[in-house]
Amino acid sequence: MTSYGLKQRLSSVAVYIFLGVMAFLSIFPFLWMIIGATNTTSDIIKGKMSFGEALVVNATTFFTQVDAPLIFWNSAKITIIATVLTLLISSLAGYGFEIFASRFREKLYTLMLLTLMIPFAALMIPLFMLMKQFGLINTHLAVVLPTVASAFIIFYFRQSTKAFPHELRDAARVDGLKEWQIFFLIYMPVMRSTYAAAFIIVFMTAWNSYLWPLIVLQSNDMKTITLVISSLGSAYYPDYGAVMIGTVLATIPTLFVFFAMQRQFVEGMLGSVK
Amino acid sequence: MSDVTLRDVRKSFGVVEIIKGVDLDIKSGEFVVFVGPSGCGKSTLLRMIAGLETITAGELDIGGNRMNEVDPSQRGIAMVFQSYALYPHMTVRENMGFALRFAGLPKAEIRKQVDEAARILELEPLMDRKPKALSGGQRQRVAIGRAIVRHPKVFLFDEPLSNLDAELRVHMRIEIAKLHRDLGATIIYVTHDQVEAMTLADKIVVLRSGIVEQVGAPLELYDNPANLFVAGFIGSPKMNFLKGVVEGGGAGRADIRLPDFGGAVVPVALKGEAPAAGAPVTLGIRPSQFTESGDAALPVTVDMMEHLGAETLIYARSSASDLVTIASQSRPDIRLGDTLTARFPSSGALLFGADGKRIY
């Protein structure tokens, strides 16, 4: 083997080792979660890394302590409404920022981007007060409303809209479409990859949302799966086995969404319009 | 009636005026081509006729009706875009029928009209394909089909062939010419390709910086350009412009001395009086006008040659380094660096004043 061939081979081996380590680091939490779901709390604390026999016990504990259909329904309802509204409102805003020129456009856009720099901790109390004034505390609407105009998703849609062919809009205008029809009948289907990527981001964020729901949802029948998982166990110590079961179940919808839209997600992140 | 009339039409973006008062009469059934260099406003003018850009001032009439404030879909126009602008999520059939569906036509009627357009453009085997499964030429035919089904009064083409390769461009050019002949519709066509302009147009509108420089039939513009810009823009290779000074002359003739060509004097035929002696002028000679039997002679040195098969282009320089392009139909036995006498008939030379306007 020539020294060049040897070098190539060694570099391939190094790349594979690196990728293998990174893949392991990514998969490990999932693996630990699945193994944990079959072990008792004490085994999990000890760091046991093999499948145990406590799956049925953990599942029984979980389904005894949790009204699973209600809690999953709460999570699903909030996530779906938040996702649909966020995509609709933020994509409209992103489209508007890119397509329609105005003297104030860039100033307004910069101002909006600056809001990304405000940490959520600084917004919690004013938001809570606002929701209280509207009488929305302990309602799902209070969880959904602050998320629907997402500065990041607006930014993402504006950037993606730069790749939207303006001649399509012109052709649609000549064909007799009004602005709102162009948005719904032309822009949305053409930008489906962008929507798919944004859908996954928003869906996962809404589904996994913890802090804000914890603040505004106060009664047990209104809570979401993420809130319920964290409170599983007795008053003195958490039941990690049941937590792991809950976590596995809570992961399934996001996994399903991700795998269902994986191809469009990649296209959307790369900014392709086809 | 599908006449298009523009009266002092202007367009400004903020304080910048892009279209500076265009007056134009386009008769029903005419094929009019807007040509000009990049940024001259030809596409903007077309978009103003389409209703995709507002008209800042002036009046636009289509078919005798004022259209300034009318929605694009109500103007009786159909537009074919440079990038085709086909809806990528729709099939060819859906793309072609989309405007009709939107106009509320019954499904059977839409199908009939789309099938008819597909037959004319030979698109039948492609009707269920999406645009991404089509070649550039096919996409362009679909874009034209989408325009045809609307039965517009006026077709607007915005550089429709510029994304195609040279061979396909020639083919599509012929297709568009045939289409015009068959449909008899009014067509306004924007291009920067003067071959397209010369071959397709009944009338060419030459634009520069938002101003119409000249309007006329292709050969009229070629033979009788109104100014230096049109003379230089129409015709390929470009017309030669030689700096000169009026030596003398009178009614119907001016003697032009060319200081950069050894003081050669060219007698140019005029309709009117010769300019005053000593006035600076520019002599225009097309490369194809050089011939061995010409009465005017320019001493030049061969700088570069291009053998194109049917003709040979000789790029030569005067003693003062002025470039002259000579198109020869024969294959002359000359080499780089050779000195030769380029001859042309003085009757074919055009004269332009210092302001760039033609002196007739």
Side-chain angles (χ1 to χ4, degrees), chain B residues 236-238 240 287 300-308 311-318 322-328 334-338 340 342:
Chain B
S236 178
K238 200 180 155 179
N240 294 297
V300 291
T301 307
V302 178
D303 206 22
M304 172 79 185
M305 286 170 68
E306 286 178 347
H307 299 283
L308 303 178
E311 66 177 3
T312 302
L313 296 182
I314 303 161
Y315 300 99
R317 287 191 183 277
S318 70
D322 284 358
L323 188 69
V324 176
T325 309
I326 301 159
S328 170
I334 50 175
R335 306 228 175 326
L336 299 187
D338 282 1
L340 57 90

Side-chain angles (χ1 to χ4, degrees), chain B residues 89-106:
Chain B
H89 55 296
M90 296 181 197
T91 62
V92 168
R93 179 177 293 285
E94 287 166 342
N95 261 288
M96 288 170 68
F98 190 65
L100 302 183
R101 202 184 91 197
F102 236 80
L105 259 71

Side-chain angles (χ1 to χ4, degrees), chain B residues 73-135:
Chain B
S73 62
Q74 304 300 315
R75 293 188 178 203
I77 55 106
M79 190 155 171
V80 178
F81 296 88
Q82 182 177 358
S83 67
Y84 324 123
L86 299 177
Y87 306 124
H89 55 296
M90 296 181 197
T91 62
V92 168
R93 179 177 293 285
E94 287 166 342
N95 261 288
M96 288 170 68
F98 190 65
L100 302 183
R101 202 184 91 197
F102 236 80
L105 259 71
K107 274 186 182 171
E109 182 62 23
I110 296 173
R111 192 169 185 88
K112 192 179 140 200
Q113 295 197 23
V114 168
D115 285 345
E116 174 61 13
R119 189 189 57 75
I120 294 170
L121 294 160
E122 296 169 18
L123 287 168
E124 285 116 324
L126 311 172
M127 297 305 276
D128 296 320
R129 288 199 200 167
K130 294 250 176 89
K132 69 179 174 190
L134 303 176
S135 68

Side-chain angles (χ1 to χ4, degrees), chain A residues 167-168 170-177 181 185-186 189-190 274, chain B residues 47 51-52 73 81 83 85-89 98-99 102 146 150:
Chain A
E167 284 193 340
L168 282 185
D170 292 338
R173 286 176 66 196
V174 172
D175 279 345
L177 273 72
Q181 291 168 322
L185 298 177
I186 308 296
V190 169
K274 284 187 180 169
Chain B
R47 289 172 61 82
L52 297 171
S73 62
F81 296 88
S83 67
L86 299 177
Y87 306 124
H89 55 296
F98 190 65
F102 236 80
R146 185 169 66 173
R150 301 186 61 198

Side-chain angles (χ1 to χ4, degrees), chain B residues 221-344:
Chain B
L221 295 196
Y222 185 84
D223 293 335
N224 283 307
N227 52 46
L228 275 174
F229 177 76
V230 177
F233 196 80
I234 301 290
S236 178
K238 200 180 155 179
M239 181 182 273
N240 294 297
F241 295 124
L242 314 179
K243 280 181 276 178
V245 180
V246 179
E247 175 109 324
R253 178 188 147 145
D255 295 326
I256 310 301
R257 189 166 55 82
L258 304 172
D260 293 347
F261 290 88
V265 175
V266 181
V268 179
L270 296 174
K271 284 181 188 164
E273 282 288 322
V281 289
T282 303
L283 201 66
I285 308 149
R286 297 231 175 254
S288 56
Q289 286 177 317
F290 286 96
T291 164
E292 285 173 15
S293 58
D295 58 326
L298 305 174
V300 291
T301 307
V302 178
D303 206 22
M304 172 79 185
M305 286 170 68
E306 286 178 347
H307 299 283
L308 303 178
E311 66 177 3
T312 302
L313 296 182
I314 303 161
Y315 300 99
R317 287 191 183 277
S318 70
S319 54
S321 275
D322 284 358
L323 188 69
V324 176
T325 309
I326 301 159
S328 170
Q329 299 301 312
S330 62
R331 296 183 183 178
D333 182 24
I334 50 175
R335 306 228 175 326
L336 299 187
D338 282 1
T339 302
L340 57 90
T341 302
R343 294 186 167 277
F344 63 94

